[in-house]
Amino acid sequence: MTLEILADAEHLAARAADFIAGVINEKPQTTVLVATGNTPMRTYAELERRVKAGELDCSSATAVQLDEYLGLPEGDPRSLYGWMERAFVRPLGIQRVIRFDSALEPHSACARFDREVAGVDGIDLAILGLGPNGHLGFNEPPSGPDAPTRALTLTPESLSSNAAYWGELEVPTRALTAGMSTILSSRRVLLLVLGAHKREVLARALLGPLTPDLPASYLRDTNLTVLADQAAARGLT
Ligand code: PGA
């Protein structure tokens, strides 16, 4: 595992964009698992800037959805795929996407997602944020390392942290997530962590026991790079 501590969100975004661009330049057909949430947004904006400036070409990469709410009508503003499309897929000129098909019932959507991920030989790079409760995607605690791609009910912690995204709109209570097994078998994992409110959960993820009660702790078994700002990493060395 590598931990890099950056001064602030802006420096973290630049460093994360360097990392992601390095992977894509090395293998243009890279398959990238893409987190939404607030943490990676500056990083995606910096990647967009580089694409627009002609410094980076992401057109051969495949973007893979990490998670999605269940039960939203087509075109609902809370769709996590919609967020990923606006923030990552379209601005980076990505042509190929693997996503959860909301027209299918959940079990079939998960089976199809797993088949498609297997069909591209798995994930080269997972870009992840850290849930305040240690979740990865929507692998809520408790989730062990073999937890499959599946439908689940969100915990009160995730309902409350996700409420910040949607203003007056309610957070859906059910979701689909790429399984722990899919995430942990990624060839590289980039975990981005910003803010003092993530400090305790980051310390537990990096220094505490590997436990289903903190799904992010299992990242230590992967080829992991953690980029954290000083506020999140205070006290870690
Ligand atoms: P955040 O979400 O990036 O908005 O903090 C992270 C998460 O809940 O996984």
Side-chain angles (χ1 to χ4, degrees):
M1 179 189 80
T2 307
L3 167 67
E4 290 181 40
I5 300 172
L6 290 308
D8 54 25
E10 197 181 327
H11 286 86
L12 184 139
R15 175 67 190 106
D18 284 349
F19 186 98
I20 296 162
V23 174
I24 292 173
N25 285 334
E26 194 180 300
K27 180 181 174 188
Q29 297 81 8
T30 293
T31 299
V32 191
L33 189 65
V34 181
T36 51
N38 287 327
T39 308
M41 291 304 135
R42 273 184 188 230
T43 299
Y44 298 163
E46 172 58 16
L47 289 170
E48 176 180 8
R49 189 197 63 72
R50 295 180 191 197
V51 167
K52 302 259 150 72
E55 298 164 14
L56 175 66
D57 180 1
C58 299
S59 60
S60 302
T62 298
V64 181
Q65 186 173 14
L66 177 61
D67 46 20
E68 181 60 282
Y69 299 123
L70 274 173
L72 294 178
E74 187 65 32
D76 189 283
R78 291 163 292 181
S79 158
L80 294 179
Y81 180 71
W83 192 356
M84 164 178 164
E85 191 179 40
R86 288 189 300 278
F88 193 89
V89 173
R90 258 194 260 130
L92 303 193
I94 288 177
Q95 312 289 320
R96 178 157 186 199
V97 166
I98 296 175
R99 58 175 292 198
F100 292 107
D101 185 345
S102 44
L104 298 175
E105 58 86 26
H107 189 74
S108 306
C110 291
R112 181 166 171 170
F113 175 90
D114 281 342
R115 269 199 311 277
E116 290 186 27
V117 171
V120 294
D121 193 28
I123 308 292
D124 291 307
L125 172 64
I127 306 170
L128 300 175
L130 179 60
N133 63 351
H135 71 198
L136 291 178
F138 279 135
N139 288 283
E140 300 280 47
S143 290
D146 298 324
T149 299
R150 66 202 184 285
L152 44 78
T153 300
L154 298 184
T155 58
E157 290 92 337
S158 292
L159 291 174
S160 108
S161 64
N162 280 220
Y165 306 147
W166 311 119
E168 297 294 293
L169 297 174
E170 275 183 22
V171 181
T173 57
R174 302 263 304 154
L176 300 177
T177 186
M180 290 291 284
S181 47
T182 303
I183 295 172
L184 298 176
S185 56
S186 302
R187 285 178 276 277
R188 282 191 255 213
V189 176
L190 181 64
L191 178 69
L192 306 178
V193 192
L194 284 175
H197 64 300
K198 298 284 179 75
R199 183 175 157 198
E200 193 196 324
V201 69
L202 177 62
R204 285 171 58 215
L206 299 187
L207 303 172
L210 301 195
T211 167
D213 294 333
L214 199 82
S217 62
Y218 292 106
L219 291 176
R220 274 145 57 198
D221 278 345
T222 69
N223 180 6
L224 174 65
T225 300
V226 182
L227 302 182
D229 70 355
Q230 274 172 2
R234 189 153 302 132
L236 284 176
T237 41

